[in-house]
Amino acid sequence: MNVLVLNCGSSSLKFQLISTDLELIERNDDRRLAHGQVERIGGAAIITFVAEGREPYRSAMPIKSIRMALEKVLQWIMSDDSKIDEIGSLSDIHAVGHRVVHGGEHFTESVMMSDAVLRGIEDCIDLAPLHNPANIHGIVAAREVLGKELPQAAVFDTAFHQTLPDHAYLYALPYQLYRRHRLRRYGFHGTSHRYVAYRYRTIRNIPRDQVNIITLHLGNGCSIAAIKSGNSVDTSMGLTPLEGLVMGTRSGDVDPAIVEFICSKEGLSIHEVESIFNKQSGLLGISGLTNDMRELIAEADENDDRRARLAIEIFCYRVRKDIGAYLAAMNGAAAIIFTGGIGENSARIRSSICKDLAFAGVSLDPKANDRHHEGKEGVVSSDASKIAVYVVPTNEELLIARDTVRLIGEKK
Ligand code: ADP
């Protein structure tokens, strides 16, 4: 079965085409056929499409809407240019899996698409005004272009964290705000945390209910999750993805009184301050240079840039502090898992985060740690470490494709 996985943002469409079915999942043999993205939709768009093992196809052209972008993707997939043997016509695409950012309290797992599900996703727009509308455009476009009969599934970033207990998801705000507006912690990156937890139990060959781990998704966006007996019991992102760790351009936790303070000192609106928190803070805000961890490390090493060093130090300190908090929240963990662009690739950051976790019995094996980058999965802690440390490359798209196939299987 060929599943098209779509991730639609406000001005971008990312896709992967994945060949999978229940048997391939069982054998861990499902594979990506192609991937790519259309960026800057609404203006002069930039297209990058890649068939596995081939040179990327790049182009720039005006693309007005997500629907037009999707048409472009499909044209390329079917064209002789892409040389994807498995696809001769549109009918060789058997299903679509959509990444949907916010499923509120309504969606606790992945679901097959229907009019009612689409309405449910629309109901969550209030909670994710920047993300859900783009996801809906993607779903509507796929229905229009590929036909309503083609099976489609929605996989939510929030769903995995719907197992959080009320003491972890409620803010200490007037309770009626939760009752009236569903104002609470939802958490994001759920598909990533779920995927690496699944890999961990597969590597260890243990049942789901024996998975007691802390997962760290450190990419442009960063979040930490406490997973106890296989379920997410706490996570650092909140009502929105702004809360928690220091990220590329997001501040993570700050004193909420700072909003009013900046408004009055800088003469800005709440909207403008929110934009500072989301787009000009984090690694970029502290360093004044970049949100890219690789560049920050180079600046710190080659030019001894003080603020680049400070940004890296604050980033690592905050992750370490949260690991300590989560060890307490879940009464200890068997393993810590690093994933995301930074978590998967940077031995330096992993080592800096773990160095003062000796109190909890964490010790890295420096050689193993140095070896793990660019997609390598495995253990990076020493044999003596009381808590094992793993690097597990995430694969949200694969999980979305697999959920789609499983849901189709259940329906039959
Ligand atoms: P997103 O959250 O947008 O999916 P990624 O998971 O791809 O982002 O992570 C992007 C981040 O990973 C960037 O800050 C990038 O610099 C960082 N990164 C990638 N490779 C390395 C590396 N070798 N060393 C340090 N940071 C890296």
Side-chain angles (χ1 to χ4, degrees):
M1 194 178 263
N2 301 316
V3 181
L4 181 65
V5 176
L6 291 181
N7 177 0
C8 296
S10 56
S11 64
S12 69
L13 178 154
K14 294 186 186 146
F15 78 93
Q16 287 203 8
L17 184 65
I18 294 174
S19 164
T20 179
D21 59 34
L22 297 176
E23 269 177 37
L24 290 171
I25 295 174
E26 190 67 29
R27 298 203 306 265
N28 203 21
D29 260 350
D30 32 11
R31 65 194 178 96
R32 186 168 78 175
L33 303 175
H35 68 281
Q37 55 192 30
V38 183
E39 292 164 292
R40 300 197 201 162
I41 296 171
I46 299 170
I47 290 175
T48 316
F49 296 156
V50 192
E52 274 335 274
R54 297 188 191 279
E55 286 301 304
Y57 162 82
R58 294 184 213 277
S59 170
M61 67 183 69
I63 289 190
K64 275 202 232 124
S65 61
I66 285 182
R67 180 183 164 143
M68 271 181 72
L70 177 61
E71 283 169 344
K72 208 75 218 160
V73 169
L74 294 171
Q75 265 171 24
W76 174 79
I77 287 177
M78 287 182 304
S79 71
D80 291 339
D81 292 346
S82 69
K83 298 194 175 60
I84 304 172
D85 295 339
E86 288 81 353
I87 308 282
S89 70
L90 271 191
S91 60
D92 293 323
I93 295 176
H94 303 112
V96 181
H98 294 271
R99 173 187 179 216
V100 180
V101 169
H102 218 306
E105 289 188 322
H106 189 71
F107 296 107
T108 57
E109 53 188 22
S110 305
V111 289
M112 287 306 289
M113 193 58 64
S114 67
D115 290 340
V117 166
L118 197 53
R119 276 197 299 278
I121 298 171
E122 281 167 357
D123 288 344
C124 298
I125 287 179
D126 260 5
L127 295 168
L130 298 177
H131 297 103
N132 273 30
N135 301 152
I136 291 167
H137 286 143
I139 295 164
V140 171
R143 280 180 150 196
E144 286 172 2
V145 177
L146 291 160
K148 219 173 159 179
E149 293 69 39
L150 189 79
Q152 298 199 37
V155 178
F156 301 90
D157 269 21
T158 49
F160 182 59
H161 302 301
Q162 276 299 301
T163 46
L164 256 61
D166 48 10
H167 64 254
Y169 74 66
L170 281 171
Y171 292 115
L173 292 166
Y175 192 80
Q176 60 268 31
L177 289 173
Y178 166 63
R179 263 210 311 254
R180 270 196 235 134
H181 310 292
R182 299 287 121 185
L183 192 159
R184 51 163 282 180
R185 171 184 312 286
Y186 288 95
F188 298 85
H189 289 148
T191 315
S192 178
H193 290 291
R194 194 180 126 213
Y195 179 76
V196 299
Y198 153 79
R199 285 301 310 156
Y200 170 76
R201 76 170 196 260
T202 308
I203 300 166
R204 293 281 323 279
N205 195 19
I206 53 174
R208 188 179 189 279
D209 63 5
Q210 280 176 28
V211 174
N212 296 305
I213 57 176
I214 292 174
T215 50
L216 292 166
H217 180 110
L218 307 178
N220 250 319
C222 299
S223 66
I224 174 167
I227 300 178
K228 194 166 183 181
S229 307
N231 294 323
S232 175
V233 292
D234 208 346
T235 191
S236 56
M237 284 177 165
L239 174 75
T240 76
L242 184 55
E243 195 181 343
L245 301 171
V246 173
M247 314 187 205
T249 62
R250 294 186 204 127
S251 60
D253 292 341
V254 292
D255 178 347
I258 289 175
V259 177
E260 162 72 27
F261 186 88
I262 301 181
C263 283
S264 77
K265 292 284 181 198
E266 298 272 320
L268 299 175
S269 68
I270 288 187
H271 233 76
E272 288 165 323
V273 175
E274 207 181 293
S275 169
I276 292 179
F277 284 5
N278 272 298
K279 299 187 180 146
Q280 296 170 41
S281 301
L283 296 175
L284 171 66
I286 302 165
S287 69
L289 290 173
T290 174
N291 62 328
D292 191 310
M293 185 59 96
R294 257 171 313 199
E295 291 174 20
L296 281 179
I297 293 174
E299 279 299 325
D301 287 354
E302 287 157 28
N303 301 324
D304 198 23
D305 187 282
R306 188 184 73 86
R307 276 169 53 189
R309 246 190 296 114
L310 196 56
I312 297 169
E313 204 175 304
I314 295 173
F315 179 91
C316 296
Y317 171 70
R318 291 271 290 270
V319 176
R320 190 187 321 128
K321 200 161 80 158
D322 269 17
I323 293 175
Y326 279 29
L327 284 173
M330 56 192 294
N331 195 12
I336 296 170
I337 318 280
F338 281 93
T339 194
I342 299 172
E344 290 167 26
N345 291 303
S346 183
R348 154 90 159 265
I349 299 293
R350 291 193 296 259
S351 139
S352 166
I353 289 171
C354 292
K355 82 173 175 328
D356 283 339
L357 289 173
F359 81 94
V362 175
S363 84
L364 290 186
D365 172 342
K367 282 201 185 121
N369 190 34
D370 282 346
R371 273 199 306 272
H372 281 77
H373 48 82
E374 285 162 22
K376 192 165 158 49
E377 180 183 83
V379 182
V380 295
S381 47
S382 69
D383 291 344
S385 192
K386 287 205 187 93
I387 300 177
V389 182
Y390 286 76
V391 172
V392 177
T394 195
N395 199 337
E396 290 159 275
E397 292 79 9
L398 182 65
L399 198 54
I400 293 173
R402 287 179 170 183
D403 274 9
T404 305
V405 162
R406 286 198 197 98
L407 285 165
I408 293 170
E410 281 168 22
K411 229 180 118 192
K412 276 184 183 156

